[in-house]
Amino acid sequence: MKLLIDTQGGDKAPIAMLNAVQMAKKENNSLDFVLFGDKKDIEEVLGADAKNYEIVQTEDIITNEDEAALSIRKKDKASIVLASKYLVEHEDADAFISAGSTGALLAAAMLIVKRIDGFKRASIPTFLPGLKGPTLLLDSGANVDCEPEFIYEFAKLGSKYVEKLLGIQNPKVALVSNGAEAKKGNELTKKAHEILKNSELNFIGNIEANEILTTEADIIVQDGFVGNVILKELEGMSKVFVGNVKNFIMQDNKYFSSDEMKMLFMKDLMSLMGLTKYGGSPVLGVNKAIIKAHGNSDEKAFYLAIKNTVDFVNSGVIEYLKEN
């Protein structure tokens, strides 16, 4: 499997990405990596190991401050642009992973890699740790301004994704609103509710924000603005919760008999909450696998993104979307 790696995007680039690549290569030697970035920086980090990788030199860097679609055209020698073109031009290239600008990555996906026929928008899904198991959130930030039809497409993409990846047939879809009644919400939400209610999808109605982690739905949908606010709020909440639990446990002399038991409990708790399982999310709806890793990814998180990418490619989700 050939994976393209953006070594320039992300807060901890390029060291985190390159260390993660070496970890993944050591674990699975069948993986073939193409590294996009400054060749001098890459060789400095990898040392003698650099000779084992194909390196594509970049001349531009797209930052989070750059306007997404314009940057794809103006900075055509940036890693996101060059890797996306490589993905299209090389049949043996399986996926591209980047922790860089979400907007630029989505723009490159739409303008260079192109949408799957039948879809007007691509979407970035995120799995949330629900009581019944993982719940898929779409859109988690790719599409801030939406039409009601786009939210239906997010639900359709999510349904196919969950069917193929988790094996759930006819997955349940819910729409996040400020009330369970169909008449609740802004105009976008009310129109999206009407479309979903009359669609072929297994739509179970509106849910409120306090039901996001307890809902029976397999998929929850909203526009990317609301979705990203939900995601960031849950990330902040988890840090506060885990931080408070950790402080309590590490000071405890009553419930845990050793520091080893305390650390084991924290590891199991974080795993249960899904905080260490997913290192990245795919851009759904485009012709090849593009994975958005977290912007603050360290080497462990980017390594998880690589593992998630391998699973995503092997799942055949893109082929399934094209056929269905």
Side-chain angles (χ1 to χ4, degrees):
M1 184 180 295
K2 180 178 282 190
L3 304 180
L4 316 182
I5 304 295
D6 178 6
T7 70
Q8 292 186 308
D11 299 339
K12 298 177 176 63
I15 296 175
M17 291 76 213
L18 296 173
N19 287 347
V21 163
Q22 289 182 301
M23 290 167 60
K25 184 71 173 176
K26 184 177 181 180
E27 182 181 89
N28 185 353
N29 194 49
S30 67
L31 295 179
D32 186 16
F33 293 97
V34 182
L35 311 176
F36 292 78
D38 184 273
K39 186 175 182 180
K40 182 180 177 181
D41 290 344
I42 293 172
E43 289 178 340
E44 184 176 329
V45 175
L46 294 181
D49 195 33
K51 67 180 183 297
N52 297 316
Y53 299 93
E54 179 182 348
I55 301 173
V56 177
Q57 175 68 32
T58 61
E59 305 298 335
D60 298 318
I61 297 177
I62 296 175
T63 70
N64 288 325
E65 284 71 38
D66 289 321
E67 197 281 319
L70 185 61
S71 67
I72 296 302
R73 297 183 175 92
K74 291 184 67 176
K75 297 186 174 182
D76 59 351
K77 296 295 189 295
S79 52
I80 286 177
V81 179
L82 293 177
S84 297
K85 290 180 177 178
Y86 190 108
L87 194 62
V88 172
E89 294 166 359
H90 293 75
E91 191 174 339
D92 64 336
D94 294 292
F96 169 41
I97 311 170
S98 175
S101 164
T102 300
L105 191 65
L106 185 70
M110 298 281 283
L111 297 173
I112 299 172
V113 181
K114 306 292 186 181
R115 300 185 305 272
I116 294 172
D117 289 343
F119 292 103
K120 295 179 181 178
R121 282 289 185 277
S123 178
I124 297 180
T126 301
F127 277 110
L128 305 178
L131 278 182
K132 68 169 185 56
T135 303
L136 191 69
L137 167 68
L138 295 100
D139 179 60
S140 60
N143 300 275
V144 175
D145 298 307
C146 288
E147 299 293 333
E149 293 78 10
F150 298 167
I151 294 179
Y152 160 71
E153 283 207 351
F154 302 158
K156 186 177 178 181
L157 277 168
S159 293
K160 298 300 181 184
Y161 184 41
V162 167
E163 282 177 4
K164 183 64 176 176
L165 200 67
L166 302 183
I168 299 174
Q169 298 303 309
N170 201 27
K172 298 175 182 177
V173 177
L175 175 67
V176 180
S177 186
N178 63 336
E181 301 85 358
K183 64 181 180 180
K184 288 292 183 73
N186 56 18
E187 287 303 308
L188 173 65
T189 301
K190 287 186 282 189
K191 290 177 180 178
H193 183 283
E194 187 68 18
I195 293 172
L196 290 167
K197 183 180 70 173
N198 294 312
S199 74
E200 78 286 5
L201 302 175
N202 186 9
F203 180 56
I204 63 173
N206 291 352
I207 62 168
E208 297 185 67
N210 61 346
E211 301 174 84
I212 286 172
L213 298 183
T214 60
T215 179
E216 287 299 312
D218 303 295
I219 301 148
I220 57 175
V221 291
Q222 248 299 348
D223 65 79
F225 179 83
V226 173
N228 194 255
V229 169
I230 291 170
L231 182 61
K232 295 298 173 60
E233 176 64 22
L234 291 176
E235 288 175 349
M237 181 192 71
S238 69
K239 288 179 182 178
V240 172
F241 175 76
V242 172
N244 285 339
V245 172
K246 182 179 180 181
N247 289 338
F248 174 81
I249 289 173
M250 297 311 292
Q251 296 171 16
D252 172 71
N253 293 313
K254 178 180 179 182
Y255 299 103
F256 296 90
S257 60
S258 67
D259 287 344
E260 183 179 1
M261 286 185 64
K262 294 175 183 179
M263 297 308 297
L264 181 61
F265 176 83
M266 287 301 303
K267 181 179 179 181
D268 289 344
L269 175 64
M270 293 179 70
S271 176
L272 180 65
M273 293 181 66
L275 300 177
T276 59
K277 187 175 182 181
Y278 302 104
S281 299
V283 178
L284 282 183
V286 294
N287 284 300
K288 278 203 165 183
I290 297 180
I291 304 298
K292 174 63 177 77
H294 302 301
N296 63 351
S297 293
D298 57 14
E299 62 184 61
K300 181 179 179 181
F302 203 84
Y303 165 75
L304 286 172
I306 293 172
K307 292 193 69 174
N308 295 157
T309 301
V310 172
D311 292 341
F312 180 75
V313 172
N314 286 334
S315 74
V317 167
I318 293 177
E319 291 75 15
Y320 186 71
L321 288 172
K322 290 178 179 179
E323 294 169 1
N324 293 273

